[in-house]
Amino acid sequence: DIAHALGEVAFYEEARLVRSLPGWEMLRWLLGYKGVCCAPCQVEEVGDPRELELMLLRNCRDGFKSCRLLDVKIGQVTAVRDWHGKSAFAAWRQSFVDAVTNSVRQGFRLEGLDNPPVTVRSMYAKLEEGIPSTVIGVKPKRLKRLYLQGLTGLQFVSHFLSLHDAPDSTFARRSERAPSADTIRPPAFRAGTRTFSSSQDTLTNVEIQE
């Protein structure tokens, strides 16, 4: 809905005019933009669709079987009073987010990570295991977002480039070879003609059985 993105429409319109000029080659990396159109959209859960003006942008996932996307918010201050209808209270509340995230350190922060690698998913699992949400009133989804917002540029770019999930990676091959917890048995020990399980409390003068 361009009602919430008038500045973006102006940006893409201007970029379309200058992207072929010398010195503006970087703009060729922008998403494909085809202007503005009107289309029926289901805005409310109940009720009929409404006609809205929409920006036509190419889907970032087009042409990919698996796509990883970063959503980065740039700026040490990400909300200003009266900017595009932002209230003074909303800007004040947002200033606390800026102060406790990577925005205050490097001037940008990660807001979202689509198709995260196993390195990030394992951290999500750890957050969900011991979240005292009933005590502090923070939902797991919010804690995951706070985790992303606190990552430095080097950290989230490393996650973005991670190939741990690639089928041919050494991590994937090692995971395939690793036995499951159900098939692991404690080692057996031998002393003379008797065999002892590793569950024995005390073992003396024993050898590990090959």
Side-chain angles (χ1 to χ4, degrees):
D1 184 1
I2 66 170
H4 304 286
L6 293 177
E8 292 186 43
V9 173
F11 170 78
Y12 276 97
E13 287 290 346
E14 188 171 350
R16 184 166 59 173
L17 297 176
V18 301
R19 64 186 304 172
S20 60
L21 300 179
W24 294 96
E25 290 81 5
M26 185 179 66
L27 294 178
R28 297 172 186 174
W29 292 93
L30 289 176
L31 292 174
Y33 169 73
K34 294 298 183 180
V36 177
C37 72
C38 291
C41 300
Q42 189 68 44
V43 180
E44 305 292 340
E45 293 184 5
V46 180
D48 297 329
R50 295 188 310 181
E51 289 283 335
L52 296 178
E53 290 185 306
L54 306 173
M55 292 179 62
L56 285 179
L57 295 173
R58 183 177 181 180
N59 191 329
C60 294
R61 297 178 177 83
D62 182 30
F64 295 94
K65 293 182 179 179
S66 179
C67 186
R68 181 172 296 155
L69 300 175
L70 296 177
D71 178 11
V72 181
K73 181 169 286 190
I74 299 176
Q76 288 186 320
V77 178
T78 59
V80 179
R81 176 182 177 181
D82 297 330
W83 178 260
H84 290 290
K86 181 74 70 173
S87 67
F89 175 76
W92 173 78
R93 183 179 57 188
Q94 191 67 22
S95 67
F96 287 94
V97 179
D98 296 337
V100 298
T101 61
N102 194 52
S103 294
V104 72
R105 289 182 293 175
Q106 295 183 303
F108 56 84
R109 68 173 180 262
L110 183 64
E111 285 290 327
L113 176 58
D114 283 0
N115 190 21
V118 65
T119 49
V120 174
R121 297 198 305 272
S122 62
M123 181 58 69
Y124 286 170
K126 289 295 183 182
L127 290 173
E128 292 178 349
E129 283 178 7
I131 294 176
S133 57
T134 56
V135 178
I136 61 177
V138 177
K139 297 181 179 179
K141 182 178 180 181
R142 179 56 183 154
L143 281 183
K144 292 178 184 178
R145 189 175 181 185
L146 282 173
Y147 164 70
L148 295 179
Q149 291 173 331
L151 295 176
T152 65
L154 178 61
Q155 290 172 325
F156 68 67
V157 169
S158 297
H159 290 314
F160 178 71
L161 299 176
S162 173
L163 297 177
H164 284 81
D165 293 321
D168 295 332
S169 70
T170 55
F171 177 85
R173 292 199 296 268
R174 186 167 63 248
S175 299
E176 291 176 357
R177 292 196 304 266
S180 65
D182 296 334
T183 61
I184 297 176
R185 295 291 182 269
F189 298 91
R190 181 180 57 197
T193 59
R194 298 188 60 187
T195 300
F196 302 89
S197 169
S198 62
S199 60
Q200 295 282 353
D201 294 334
T202 305
L203 293 174
T204 57
N205 299 323
V206 296
E207 297 177 357
I208 297 178
Q209 187 176 13
E210 297 293 339

